Structure formats: C-alpha cells, structure tokens
C-alpha cells in the first residue's frame, strides 16, 4: 500500500518531460503522444532495403534493389533520417545523452514488436573499433539494441562480431568510398553458423556498413541476415 502511494506521488510530481517539446508526457516515456505522431515515420519504404519511396510510387521495391539486390534478406527502418529525429540521434550519439538513446531504442523496439515476421535467433549491434569506442565512450548501436533485445526476447550477442580496422567516419565519404572503406572491416565468429541474425545500427544511409557486415556473417555460415535500424536516410 505504501509503495503504491509513493508511486502515485512520484508519477504526479515527477512525470517525464518530452525530449522534443518539453511538456510533461503524462506517461512513463520521454516523448509526448503529439511529438511521437509528428516523427518522420517511414511509412512508404522499399521492402528490401527500407529506403523511403515516394508516396505515389506503385512498386514496393526501389530501383537500386531491383538492379542490385542487397546482401541481406530484409530490412526494417521505422523512421526517416529527417527533422526532428536527426536532432535526437545527434544528441544521443555525439553528446552521450543515453536517456535519449533509451527512448530511441524503445521506439524501435515497439515498432519491431508489432512486426509479424518470425524473430531472429540473435541480435548483433554493428560494432565499433576499440579506438572509436574509447573516443566516444559507448557504442550507440549496442545501446539501441538493449531495449530491442529485451522487448523481443531475442538474445543480444555483441561478442560474436568485432571490427578489425579503424575506418574513416562513413558520413564523410561518398558511396563508393564507403564500400572501399569497409572492405575486410569485420570479423564474425563461427557460432553464427546456421542462424538467422539481425544486425542493428542507428542509421542506414547507403547500406555499405550493413553490406560489409552481412557478407562477413554469410562467410561465417549465417543462414539469413536481416538489417534493423532506427532510421533510413534517403541515400
């Protein structure tokens, strides 16, 4: 009884505030219902790579995937990399705002939980090189993956993959340079043999990072690879 009473007081006086508009959310979340509705949801996306498509596009597979099918089986990105989501991601990624990261991970987890597709056998966040991890202090993909793994009850196994080379920051490179930058960048351990694996990242732009990791997973014997990301850039 006392615990319930104290909890009611806490909910009344310490209600979370929305990370976007600053108003109290009236719920146990750091985003209000109005701001969540206004996020750039990726409602019309390519079924293979999750790239945003024009609303009037009849085909559900983009031209790039028709010409060059990606290395993965399927991709899911619930949001487009656009305002104001881009501001939240940058706050999380470059200012170490882990509360924002937890909110973003919960948004991704909720979207994936509603997907009727069978669950993968395990979840691998895209790894950072140790030098980059030391510089940033955390792996943003791993932090996003934690609430996803808990919500979906999918084992989170970051130890099955590591980054071998300290590559240049992908956002500074064009599409071809991104592919060259990631050649031989990942090592995957044999425990993935025969498994359906989901790899998780914060943002997919050209898909170069996902492609490089997918190829390494297939070489290690993974049966199927899916790509999950919070957001998809236009390319």
């Amino acid at each position: 009884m006392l615990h319930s009473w104290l909890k009611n007081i806490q909910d009344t006086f310490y209600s979370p505030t929305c990370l976007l508009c600053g108003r109290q959310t009236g719920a146990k979340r750091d985003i209000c219902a109005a701001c969540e509705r206004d996020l750039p949801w990726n409602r019309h996306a390519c079924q293979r790579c999750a790239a945003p498509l024009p609303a009037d596009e009849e085909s559900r597979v983009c031209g790039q995937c028709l010409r060059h099918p990606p290395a993965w089986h399927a991709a899911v990105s619930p949001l487009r990399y656009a305002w104001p989501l881009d501001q939240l991601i940058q706050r999380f990624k470059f200012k170490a705002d882990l509360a924002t990261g937890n909110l973003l991970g919960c948004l991704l987890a909720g979207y994936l939980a509603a997907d009727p597709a069978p669950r993968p056998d395990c979840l691998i966040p895209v790894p950072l090189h140790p030098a980059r991890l030391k510089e940033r202090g955390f792996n943003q993909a791993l932090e996003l993956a934690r609430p996803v793994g808990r919500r979906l009850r999918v084992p989170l196994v970051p130890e099955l993959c590591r980054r071998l080379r300290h590559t240049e920051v992908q956002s500074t490179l064009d599409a071809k340079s991104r592919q060259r930058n990631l050649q031989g960048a990942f090592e995957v351990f044999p425990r993935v043999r025969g498994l359906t694996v989901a790899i998780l990242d914060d943002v997919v732009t050209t898909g170069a990072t996902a492609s490089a990791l997918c190829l390494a997973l297939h070489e290690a014997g993974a049966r199927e690879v899916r790509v999950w990301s919070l957001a998809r850039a236009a390319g």
Side-chain angles (χ1 to χ4, degrees), residues 27-48:
K28 299 177 182 179
R29 307 185 67 188
D30 293 324
I31 188 169
C32 68
C35 286
E36 184 172 350
R37 284 194 302 271
D38 288 341
L39 288 174
W41 294 100
N42 192 16
R43 293 189 171 91
H44 197 74
C46 173
Q47 291 179 338
R48 285 301 306 274

Side-chain angles (χ1 to χ4, degrees), residues 6 13 32 46 54-55 72 89 94 104-105 118 144 154 156 160 166 168 176 184-185 203 217 223 233:
L6 290 173
F13 293 100
C32 68
C46 173
W72 53 81
I89 291 176
F94 300 117
L104 297 175
L144 290 175
V154 173
L156 180 59
L160 294 189
H166 190 195
E168 293 184 59
K176 289 185 178 180
V203 182
L217 283 161
R223 181 171 60 87

Side-chain angles (χ1 to χ4, degrees), residues 53-163:
L53 295 174
D56 58 355
E57 178 71 53
E58 293 184 4
S59 173
R60 294 309 302 270
V61 179
C62 71
Q64 178 66 23
C65 287
L66 289 173
R67 292 188 298 270
H68 305 288
W72 53 81
H73 176 76
V76 175
S77 295
L79 292 152
R80 292 177 286 110
Y81 189 67
W83 189 88
L85 179 71
D86 55 353
Q87 302 302 306
L88 290 176
I89 291 176
Q90 289 170 29
R91 186 192 306 179
F92 163 48
K93 194 171 177 177
F94 300 117
K95 296 185 178 180
D97 188 338
L98 297 183
T100 297
N102 183 67
L103 167 65
L104 297 175
C106 289
L107 287 172
L108 177 57
Y111 188 92
L112 291 167
D115 189 338
R119 301 285 189 253
D121 297 307
C122 62
L123 177 60
I124 297 179
V126 173
L128 291 179
H129 186 272
R132 182 68 48 73
L133 181 62
K134 183 177 180 181
E135 174 187 317
R136 183 168 294 165
F138 67 100
N139 179 352
Q140 72 276 2
L142 175 58
E143 296 307 316
L144 290 175
R146 294 187 196 280
V148 172
R150 287 194 299 267
R151 178 78 181 268
L152 274 62
R153 298 183 180 178
V154 173
L156 180 59
V157 286
E159 69 277 5
L160 294 189
C161 176
R162 65 174 177 168
R163 201 157 191 149

Side-chain angles (χ1 to χ4, degrees), residues 122 124-125 127-128 130 157-164 185-197 199 212-223 225:
C122 62
I124 297 179
L128 291 179
V157 286
E159 69 277 5
L160 294 189
C161 176
R162 65 174 177 168
R163 201 157 191 149
L164 297 176
F186 298 106
E187 180 182 20
V188 177
F189 299 101
R191 280 173 49 199
V192 302
R193 184 171 300 278
L195 300 181
T196 295
V197 179
I199 62 175
L213 183 48
C214 281
L215 291 173
L217 283 161
H218 284 307
E219 288 175 2
R223 181 171 60 87
V225 183

Side-chain angles (χ1 to χ4, degrees), residues 16-27:
T17 57
C18 179
L19 292 173
L20 285 172
C21 70
R23 293 192 295 264
Q24 287 191 335
T25 65

